[in-house]
Amino acid sequence: QKEVEQNSGPLSVPEGAIASLNCTYSDRGSQSFFWYRQYSGKSPELIMSIYSNGDKEDGRFTAQLNKASQYVSLLIRDSQPSDSATYLCAVKAQGGSEKLVFGKGTKLTVNP
Amino acid sequence: GAVVSQHPSWVICKSGTSVKIECRSLDFQATTMFWYRQFPKQSLMLMATSNEGSKATYEQGVEKDKFLINHASLTLSTLTVTSAHPEDSSFYICSVRPSLAGPTDTQYFGPGTRLTVL
C-alpha cells in the first residue's frame, strides 16, 4: 500500500512568516512529487512539481526533496492571508502508472 | 496552467436517479483523464483512470457498474453515477494529463462537481 503522510494541522502562522509544510512517502521508487493548494469548496490547484533532490524555488514557494529520507516539503515565504488553504502533497508512483497518491493535506491558516 | 472544465458545477438529484458529469480538456488533447472523489474534510481518492478509446481502469472498491466512465474523445470524459444514493453525495473532480506531457507529468484539475443526493 503506497502511502503519503502529512500532518493534518491546522498550522497557524502570522502574516509575513515562513510556513513549512512536510510530507513523507512510502514508495521509495517514486520519481515525481507535487504540491497542490486547495481552497475550501474548490478543486486543487498545482503550486509546484519537483523531481530531483534539492530545492526548487518559484516566487515565494520553495519545494525541497530528499529521496533518501523519502521526504518532500514546501516552504512559503512572506505568508499572506490569501495563502490560507489546505495543501496537498501528491506522489506519482514509479513505473508506467500515471496515478497520483495524495496525502490528506495540511490546513494552513495565515493570521493577519 | 491548463484549462479543464466540468459540467455541471453542482447537481442535486433524487435517490435512484442517474447523474452524468462531463470533464473537458480545453487546451490540449488528453489520452488519460482521472476521476477523483472527495468527501468533506478528506483527501482526494482516485476512483478510476479514463483512457480514450478503451475501458476505464477502476480502483479497488469502486463499482464499475455504478460509476460508468466514457472517454469518447481526446478532450471529453464523462462519469455517470447510476442509481445514486445519499452516500454518493460528494465532490467529484476530474484531472487531465496532457498527452504530450513528457517528463513533466503534471495533472491539471477541473473545478469539480458537487453532487447532493436527496
Side-chain angles (χ1 to χ4, degrees):
Chain A
Q1 180 75 12
K2 298 178 176 61
E3 295 183 346
V4 177
E5 300 287 341
Q6 292 182 255
N7 187 330
S8 61
L11 174 65
S12 184
V13 300
E15 183 174 357
I18 296 175
S20 178
L21 305 163
N22 304 315
C23 173
T24 59
Y25 58 95
S26 63
D27 184 359
R28 182 170 289 279
S30 298
Q31 297 295 324
S32 306
F33 307 87
F34 306 88
W35 281 100
Y36 287 86
R37 177 176 62 197
Q38 186 175 26
Y39 292 113
S40 181
K42 304 295 185 181
S43 69
E45 170 191 13
L46 179 69
I47 296 176
M48 292 193 69
S49 59
I50 187 167
Y51 304 92
S52 303
N53 280 328
D55 294 359
K56 179 182 178 182
E57 185 175 320
D58 184 0
R60 295 187 296 112
F61 299 96
T62 299
Q64 299 174 318
L65 175 61
N66 184 325
K67 291 185 180 179
S69 301
Q70 296 176 233
Y71 174 91
V72 59
S73 65
L74 179 70
L75 299 178
I76 307 175
R77 291 182 300 280
D78 189 24
S79 296
Q80 302 297 310
S82 59
D83 295 326
S84 298
T86 296
Y87 290 80
L88 301 172
C89 173
V91 177
K92 178 175 174 287
Q94 63 178 321
S97 173
E98 299 292 340
K99 295 191 296 186
L100 293 180
V101 179
F102 283 85
K104 292 185 177 181
T106 298
K107 183 175 175 62
L108 171 67
T109 300
V110 180
N111 300 305
Chain B
V3 178
V4 181
S5 70
Q6 278 186 244
H7 178 81
S9 56
W10 60 271
V11 58
I12 302 173
C13 70
K14 293 182 179 180
S15 184
T17 61
S18 294
V19 174
K20 179 186 284 189
I21 303 170
E22 292 185 349
C23 176
R24 291 184 184 274
S25 174
L26 302 181
D27 279 359
F28 47 76
Q29 295 182 335
T31 307
T32 305
M33 295 185 179
F34 303 88
W35 287 98
Y36 293 84
R37 179 168 55 183
Q38 187 177 35
F39 292 106
K41 299 189 185 303
Q42 296 189 25
S43 190
L44 281 75
M45 295 300 297
L46 179 66
M47 299 176 66
T49 302
S50 171
N51 302 297
E52 189 268 337
S54 65
K55 292 182 179 180
T57 303
Y58 290 82
E59 294 300 298
Q60 189 173 9
V62 178
E63 300 175 57
K64 63 180 182 180
D65 294 329
K66 179 172 180 63
F67 299 99
L68 302 179
I69 292 174
N70 185 293
H71 192 154
S73 77
L74 287 171
T75 58
L76 173 64
S77 177
T78 61
L79 168 68
T80 301
V81 182
T82 62
S83 186
H85 291 284
E87 58 266 29
D88 298 321
S89 299
S90 188
F91 192 39
Y92 291 85
I93 313 172
C94 72
S95 74
V96 175
R97 180 191 181 279
S99 296
L100 301 177
T104 56
D105 45 6
T106 302
Q107 291 184 24
Y108 298 94
F109 284 87
T113 296
R114 191 163 301 281
L115 170 64
T116 301
V117 185
L118 302 177

